[in-house]
Every structure is written in C-alpha cells, then in structure tokens.
C-alpha cells in the first residue's frame, strides 16, 4: 500500500517536492464528492509506480495552496519531476491517459 504524506502548510509543499525526485500532490476538499471518488483510484494506480511519492493537501485547511499552486478547482493532481511541474490534471481525471503519461515518464527516468 502506498504511503501518503499529509501536508498541513504551504512550507511543507516545497520541502516535499525538494526531497522527492518524483513527487505528486493531490489537492482536495472535504466537501468534494469527486475528490473522494478519485483518491482511492489514484493511490491504487501509484502502487505500480513506487518511485512516485504522494502527498495530500486539504485545500480547505491549507487555503494558501490555491494561490501557491494556481489551483482553481479540486481535485487537482500535480506531478513534479526534479522539482519542475511535469503534469497537471484537474477535476475529471482520465485515468487511462494519466497512466500512459506516468508510464512514459517512468520509463524515461
């Protein structure tokens, strides 16, 4: 099972990205039904990619995350490779497309 780091402040975002070559942020809100549906699917998908480290941010508790990462809707998935944004998926995530992109990156690394 994948280990998920809970991020509770904006400062922790930078630290997480700096400490992990492949880092993924999952931004959600408590009252978002789509967020609750996508989260288990995402964790299940990432079991196939152990090098990608996942962190979860509740945007209603870390309100500054929207401004820092330019997030206008939730859920939002942002993948960083070597501290640079590589991929961004929002609201309705196409998991087949996401998996193909992860596979392509994973094979290139």
């Amino acid at each position: 099972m994948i280990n998920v780091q809970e991020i509770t402040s904006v400062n922790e975002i930078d630290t997480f990205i700096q400490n992990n070559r492949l880092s993924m942020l999952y931004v959600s809100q408590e009252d978002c039904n789509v967020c609750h549906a996508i989260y288990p699917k995402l964790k299940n998908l990432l079991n196939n990619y152990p090098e990608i480290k996942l962190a979860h941010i509740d945007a209603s508790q870390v309100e500054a995350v929207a401004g820092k990462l330019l997030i206008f809707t939730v859920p939002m998935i942002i993948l960083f490779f070597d501290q640079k944004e590589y991929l961004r998926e929002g609201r309705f995530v196409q998991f087949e497309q996401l998996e193909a992109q992860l596979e392509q990156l994973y094979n290139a690394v």
Side-chain angles (χ1 to χ4, degrees):
M1 193 67 179
I2 188 167
N3 184 25
V4 180
Q5 180 177 333
E6 289 294 324
I7 291 184
T8 57
S9 74
V10 175
N11 294 338
E12 290 178 42
I13 295 170
D14 291 331
T15 303
F16 179 76
I17 294 169
Q18 290 167 1
N19 290 341
N20 298 290
R21 185 171 188 217
L22 288 167
S23 53
M24 181 178 284
L25 301 177
Y26 181 71
V27 183
S28 67
Q29 285 186 328
E30 186 62 36
D31 61 350
C32 169
N33 290 329
V34 175
C35 298
H36 294 292
I38 287 177
Y39 195 36
K41 290 180 183 180
L42 179 63
K43 291 192 292 187
N44 188 47
L45 174 63
L46 290 182
N47 281 325
N48 299 323
Y49 305 96
E51 295 297 316
I52 300 175
K53 304 305 178 196
L54 178 63
H56 174 252
I57 306 165
D58 184 338
S60 56
Q61 294 185 10
V62 186
E63 294 175 359
V65 72
K68 177 166 182 61
L69 298 174
L70 300 175
I71 295 175
F72 302 107
T73 186
V74 289
M76 182 64 66
I77 297 169
I78 307 173
L79 177 66
F80 293 87
F81 173 58
D82 286 338
Q83 302 180 34
K84 292 180 179 56
E85 186 174 320
Y86 178 81
L87 171 85
R88 181 181 286 244
E89 290 283 329
R91 195 67 180 149
F92 299 107
V93 178
Q94 303 294 320
F95 274 91
E96 290 154 3
Q97 180 182 349
L98 177 62
E99 184 171 15
Q101 291 172 312
L102 292 179
E103 190 70 29
Q104 181 180 13
L105 172 65
Y106 215 72
N107 289 334
V109 174

